[in-house]
C-alpha cells in the first residue's frame, strides 16, 4: 500500500500511477494525500478571501489542520510513501526577470524561503510515515520561452506571461537544480532517500521533455507522473528486497542506509570513473553569484588566480583601490591582484586585523619598517612598493588611503572570496600584530624581544573567522562569503618540522576551520579548490615541476566548476 503525500505535483503522480503496467500495478495499491486539499484546511469563516488565503497558507505546516493529516495517514495505513512537497518555488522566482534581483540573489531567496518550509514538512511528517518512504523531485523547467507564453488561456497563470520579460532558460534550470539540492540535503538529514528524476523526463538539453509537459508552466502531465512513479516504486521494491524475511526487525533498521545514496557519495561514480577534468566536488552551493554582483577577493597567492579569471569570465570584479591616474609602470604593481592593495593575506588572524585596522579597532605599535635596500615600507604589506617609500610620512599617507579603500570594499561587496593559505606567521610581542612575512625578510629587523613565530591552532582559526564575520555584519548587512583553501604548499617552514609535514598540518587546520565556519553560517560556503587541485584524480598534473605552482589547466578546472 503506497500513499503519495504532498502538494500539487502529486496529482500527476496519482494519475501516472493509474497508467502503470500490470507488472507494477499488480504489486502496489496506490492512494493520495493532498496536503493542500480542502479537507485539511482549518475553518475559514465562510469568506471567499479567507478561503483563498488559507489555500496559500496550506503550503506551510502552520497553515493546515495537522491533526487531520495524522488521522488520515493512520486511516490509510500505508506500507510505503512517496513524497512530493511544495516544488514550484523555483518557477515562481525564475519566470519573471528583474533587474533588482539577479540569479544569485534569487538563489539566496530560494534558500531562505524554501528550505525552512520544506524542513518543517519533513519534520512534521517523518514520525507518521511508514519506514519505506522516498521523496521525488519536482519537474525541471520548460526550455522554450515561447512555449511558456503560448500555454492555453484557460490556465489561470497564462496571462501572467504575455507582457513580461522571462528569465533565460539556463537561469531557470539553475534555480531548479538549487531547489533539488536543498531537497536532497534536508531529506538526507532525516534519512529519507531521494529518487532522482528518470532520464526519460528530460530533453536533450536537460529541460522537461515535451511529452511530459503539463497544463501550466510549472507542472508535469500524467506521462511525467507515470515515469516518476515507475522509478519511485522500483526503488521501493529494491528497498523491500533488502529486508530479511523476519518480521521481527523494523524496516528502518533492516534496509541498507547506503542503498540509495546519490552518485557523489561514492568514490567510483564521482572520482574513480570520472575523467580528471570533469571531477566536480560541489554538491549543494548555498548561493549563486550573479554577473552583476560585486565580487571581492583576498587571501594567499592562489586567490590572485581567482580574481583574474573572474574578470576574464565577465563577472563584476570589485576593485575598491584602483591605480592612480598617470602612475608610472613600476608603481602599478599589485593593483587589481586583489580588491584592495593589501597584498597576500595568509591567515585568518591577518584578515581579522585588517578589518580592525581599517575601522579603527586596532592601531599597531609598529607602523613603519626600514628596508634593507633603502627607503621605508608598510609592515603589513612590505612588498607593495618595490622601490619602497621615500619617508615615513609617505607610508602613513598611503596607509590612510589604503584603509579607506578597505572600508569601502567591506561595506560595498556582494560576495567576498577569501583563500586561506597558512597557519604559520610572525607576531609582534608588543601588541599581537600579525605580519605577512617575518621581520627582516622584506623590511624591518627581527628582534626576539619584539617578534615571535606562531603556528595557529585549529581552535584559534575557528575563533578568528567567526569574529571577522560578526564584525563584517556590522558594516555589510547581507554579505555572502566563500571560503577556499590554497592548494599551494609552504615554500618553507619555521616550525622545525619537515616542510611536507608542516604543509599537511597547515592545510588540514585550514580545511577543517573552513568547514566548521561554513557549517555554522548560512551565508558562508566552502568551495573545494584545494580538493580539485590536490586530489588523487589529478595525479599531480595540476602542479608545475616545482610541485607548488598551480598549472593553468588546474586553474581552468577550478574556474569551470565555479562558473558552470
Amino acid at each position: 500500500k503506497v500513499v503519495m503525500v504532498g502538494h500539487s505535483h502529486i496529482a500527476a503522480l496519482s494519475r501516472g500511477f493509474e497508467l502503470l503496467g500490470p507488472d507494477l500495478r499488480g504489486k502496489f495499491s496506490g492512494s493520495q494525500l493532498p496536503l493542500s486539499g480542502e479537507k485539511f484546511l482549518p475553518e475559514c469563516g465562510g469568506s471567499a478571501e479567507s478561503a483563498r488565503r488559507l489555500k496559500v497558507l496550506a503550503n506551510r505546516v502552520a497553515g493546515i489542520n495537522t491533526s487531520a493529516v495524522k488521522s488520515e495517514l493512520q486511516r490509510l495505513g500505508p506500507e510505503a510513501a512517496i513524497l512530493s512537497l511544495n516544488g514550484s518555488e523555483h518557477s515562481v522566482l525564475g519566470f519573471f526577470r528583474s533587474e533588482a534581483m539577479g540569479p544569485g540573489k534569487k538563489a539566496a531567496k530560494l534558500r531562505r524561503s524554501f528550505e525552512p518550509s520544506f524542513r518543517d514538512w519533513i519534520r512534521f511528517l517523518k514520525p507518521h510515515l511508514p519506514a519505506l518512504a522516498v521523496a521525488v523531485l519536482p519537474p525541471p523547467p520548460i526550455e522554450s520561452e515561447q512555449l511558456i507564453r503560448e500555454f492555453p488561456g484557460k490556465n489561470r497563470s497564462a496571462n501572467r506571461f504575455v507582457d513580461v520579460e522571462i528569465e533565460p532558460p539556463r537561469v531557470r534550470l539553475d534555480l531548479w537544480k538549487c531547489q533539488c539540492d536543498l531537497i536532497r540535503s534536508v531529506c538526507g538529514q532525516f534519512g529519507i532517500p531521494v529518487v532522482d528524476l528518470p532520464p526519460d523526463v528530460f530533453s536533450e538539453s536537460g529541460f522537461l521533455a515535451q511529452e511530459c509537459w503539463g497544463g501550466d508552466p510549472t507542472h508535469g502531465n500524467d506521462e511525467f507522473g507515470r515515469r516518476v512513479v515507475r522509478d519511485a516504486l522500483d526503488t521501493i521494491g529494491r528497498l523491500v528486497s533488502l529486508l530479511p524475511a523476519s518480521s521481527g526487525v523494523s524496516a528502518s533498521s533492516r534496509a541498507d542506509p547506503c542503498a540509495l545514496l546519490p552518485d557523489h557519495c561514492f568514490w567510483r561514480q564521482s572520482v574513480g570513473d570520472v575523467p580528471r577534468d570533469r571531477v566536480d566536488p560541489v554538491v549543494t552551493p548555498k548561493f549563486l553569484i550573479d554577473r552583476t554582483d560585486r565580487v571581492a577577493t583576498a587571501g594567499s597567492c592562489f586567490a590572485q588566480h581567482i580574481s583574474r579569471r573572474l574578470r576574464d569570465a565577465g563577472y563584476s570584479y570589485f576593485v575598491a583601490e584602483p591605480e592612480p591616474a598617470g602612475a608610472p609602470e613600476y608603481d602599478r604593481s599589485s593593483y587589481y591582484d586583489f580588491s584592495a592593495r593589501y597584498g597576500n593575506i595568509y591567515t585568518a588572524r591577518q584578515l581579522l586585523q585588517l578589518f580592525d585596522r581599517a575601522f579603527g579597532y586596532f592601531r599597531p605599535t609598529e607602523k613603519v619598517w626600514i628596508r634593507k635596500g633603502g627607503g621605508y615600507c608598510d609592515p603589513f604589506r612590505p612588498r607593495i612598493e618595490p622601490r619602497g617609500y621615500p619617508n615615513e610620512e609617505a607610508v602613513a599617507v598611503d596607509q590612510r588611503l589604503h584603509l579607506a579603500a578597505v572600508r569601502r570594499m567591506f561595506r560595498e561587496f556582494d560576495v567576498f572570496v577569501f583563500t586561506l593559505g597558512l597557519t604559520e606567521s610572525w607576531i609582534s610581542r608588543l601588541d599581537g600584530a600579525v605580519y605577512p612575512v617575518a621581520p627582516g625578510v622584506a623590511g624591518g629587523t627581527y628582534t626576539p624581544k619584539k617578534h615571535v613565530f606562531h603556528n595557529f591552532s585549529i581552535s584559534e582559526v575557528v575563533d578568528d573567522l567567526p569574529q571577522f564575520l560578526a564584525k563584517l555584519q556590522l558594516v555589510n548587512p547581507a554579505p555572502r562569503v566563500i571560503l577556499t583553501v590554497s592548494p599551494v604548499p609552504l615554500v618553507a617552514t619555521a616550525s622545525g618540522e619537515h616542510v611536507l609535514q608542516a604543509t599537511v598540518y597547515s592545510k588540514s587546520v585550514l580545511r577543517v576551520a573552513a568547514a566548521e565556519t561554513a557549517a555554522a553560517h548560512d551565508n558562508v560556503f566552502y568551495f573545494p579548490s584545494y580538493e580539485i587541485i590536490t586530489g588523487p584524480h589529478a595525479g599531480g598534473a595540476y602542479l608545475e615541476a616545482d610541485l607548488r605552482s598551480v598549472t593553468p589547466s588546474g586553474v581552468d578546472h577550478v574556474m569551470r566548476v565555479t562558473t558552470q
Side-chain angles (χ1 to χ4, degrees):
K1 295 179 64 177
V2 179
V3 61
M4 283 154 275
V5 184
H7 296 94
S8 57
H9 291 290
I10 69 168
L13 301 184
S14 298
R15 293 192 300 267
F17 180 87
E18 300 300 324
L19 299 176
L20 291 173
D23 56 329
L24 279 175
R25 285 293 303 279
K27 299 177 182 177
F28 297 94
S29 62
S31 58
Q32 64 170 314
L33 195 157
L35 295 171
S36 51
E38 292 187 6
K39 68 186 300 182
F40 300 124
L41 292 179
E43 292 297 325
C44 64
S47 163
E49 175 58 27
S50 296
R52 185 200 66 78
R53 183 174 59 83
L54 286 171
K55 284 195 173 185
V56 173
L57 288 175
N59 281 329
R60 299 198 295 270
V61 175
I64 66 167
N65 185 335
T66 55
S67 297
V69 173
K70 296 175 190 177
S71 298
E72 183 67 4
L73 278 170
Q74 188 174 10
R75 185 189 69 80
L76 291 171
E79 297 167 295
I82 300 173
L83 307 180
S84 181
L85 301 165
N86 301 126
S88 297
E89 287 80 357
H90 67 93
S91 294
V92 174
L93 279 170
F95 278 136
F96 308 125
R97 191 170 187 177
S98 168
E99 293 297 330
M101 183 178 289
K105 289 184 173 64
K106 286 190 174 185
K109 182 175 181 180
L110 176 65
R111 182 178 179 83
R112 291 194 303 270
S113 62
F114 173 78
E115 186 176 28
S117 175
F118 186 82
R119 187 183 301 277
D120 285 347
W121 279 114
I122 296 294
R123 185 182 291 113
F124 159 61
L125 289 170
K126 174 73 173 175
H128 311 292
L129 294 173
L132 292 173
V134 300
V136 297
L137 300 171
I142 293 172
E143 182 172 15
S144 170
E145 177 181 321
Q146 180 180 354
L147 290 171
I148 292 174
R149 296 185 185 280
E150 290 179 355
F151 267 88
K154 64 181 180 181
N155 295 290
R156 289 180 301 168
S157 58
N159 292 334
R160 299 172 62 194
F161 306 123
V162 176
D163 298 318
V164 296
E165 189 174 1
I166 295 176
E167 287 281 16
R170 182 55 54 182
V171 171
R172 293 186 279 111
L173 188 63
D174 284 345
L175 288 171
W176 171 77
K177 290 179 179 178
C178 179
Q179 181 163 328
C180 290
D181 286 339
L182 294 173
I183 291 172
R184 293 187 186 96
S185 175
V186 172
C187 286
Q189 295 167 29
F190 285 85
I192 296 177
V194 176
V195 182
D196 288 335
L197 294 181
D200 55 1
V201 306
F202 293 95
S203 67
E204 291 184 0
S205 52
F207 294 83
L208 187 63
Q210 183 171 354
E211 60 270 24
C212 292
W213 292 346
D216 65 63
T218 64
H219 292 83
N221 62 11
D222 297 2
E223 180 58 22
F224 171 82
R226 185 188 72 81
R227 297 178 186 187
V228 172
V229 172
R230 174 199 64 199
D231 278 24
L233 294 180
D234 180 65
T235 296
I236 291 172
R238 286 191 289 115
L239 279 176
V240 171
S241 70
L242 295 171
L243 305 180
S246 171
S247 59
V249 182
S250 69
S252 60
S253 64
R254 292 177 301 191
D256 177 3
C258 298
L260 294 174
L261 291 175
D263 283 349
H264 69 258
C265 294
F266 296 93
W267 186 267
R268 180 181 62 79
Q269 290 93 319
S270 62
V271 181
D273 288 351
V274 179
R276 177 175 63 214
D277 62 346
R278 294 298 165 189
V279 171
D280 182 355
V282 176
V283 177
T284 309
K286 291 184 177 180
F287 50 80
L288 300 178
I289 302 175
D290 191 296
R291 290 185 185 273
T292 61
D293 285 334
R294 290 164 295 188
V295 182
T297 63
S300 70
C301 53
F302 184 75
Q304 298 176 36
H305 292 299
I306 297 176
S307 65
R308 293 167 189 154
R309 294 302 184 92
L310 284 172
R311 289 194 297 268
D312 293 343
Y315 285 84
S316 179
Y317 185 66
F318 182 30
V319 177
E321 190 173 8
E323 67 181 45
E329 187 65 34
Y330 66 81
D331 278 343
R332 295 179 184 175
S333 60
S334 69
Y335 285 106
Y336 304 113
D337 286 345
F338 299 108
S339 293
R341 203 173 179 225
Y342 28 66
N344 289 336
I345 301 175
Y346 294 107
T347 65
R349 184 70 57 84
Q350 273 183 271
L351 177 66
L352 177 60
Q353 289 189 357
L354 173 65
F355 186 96
D356 287 347
R357 288 192 294 117
F359 287 95
Y361 298 122
F362 178 45
R363 300 183 186 279
T365 302
E366 289 189 278
K367 297 179 173 58
V368 178
W369 278 350
I370 300 175
R371 289 162 42 90
K372 288 181 179 179
Y376 297 82
C377 67
D378 184 340
F380 302 99
R381 43 189 195 135
R383 293 190 172 109
I384 283 295
E385 284 291 339
R387 300 187 181 188
Y389 294 88
N391 51 54
E392 294 186 26
E393 179 60 26
V395 176
V397 169
D398 198 44
Q399 280 178 342
R400 288 194 292 269
L401 294 173
H402 166 64
L403 294 178
V406 171
R407 290 194 295 273
R408 180 187 169 217
M409 185 268 292
F410 280 132
R411 285 173 174 145
E412 297 182 11
F413 75 74
D414 296 306
V415 179
F416 182 56
V417 183
F418 181 60
T419 301
L420 293 149
L422 299 174
T423 54
E424 295 190 10
S425 60
W426 292 87
I427 296 179
S428 169
R429 293 182 184 271
L430 303 176
D431 56 10
V434 178
Y435 306 115
V437 296
V441 173
T445 302
Y446 171 68
T447 306
K449 290 184 178 181
K450 293 173 58 178
H451 308 117
V452 62
F453 170 77
H454 184 73
N455 203 1
F456 287 105
S457 67
I458 178 66
S459 60
E460 288 175 311
V461 182
V462 169
D463 185 55
D464 287 341
L465 287 173
Q467 279 195 60
F468 164 73
L469 293 169
K471 291 180 177 180
L472 177 63
Q473 196 87 31
L474 298 175
V475 300
N476 189 330
R480 286 170 281 159
V481 178
I482 297 175
L483 296 177
T484 68
V485 173
S486 170
V488 179
L490 277 65
V491 68
T493 177
S495 66
E497 298 178 342
H498 190 285
V499 68
L500 180 59
Q501 187 176 346
T503 293
V504 172
Y505 169 82
S506 184
K507 303 302 181 181
S508 300
V509 165
L510 299 176
R511 176 62 183 89
V512 173
E516 290 196 9
T517 303
H521 296 80
D522 289 339
N523 64 324
V524 180
F525 175 64
Y526 172 75
F527 182 82
S529 55
Y530 179 82
E531 289 86 338
I532 292 172
I533 299 299
T534 66
H537 65 282
Y542 289 157
L543 296 175
E544 300 282 8
D546 62 1
L547 299 182
R548 289 193 71 250
S549 306
V550 178
T551 64
S553 61
V555 179
D556 287 343
H557 191 159
V558 170
M559 299 310 297
R560 182 167 53 252
V561 173
T562 303
T563 57
Q564 68 181 5

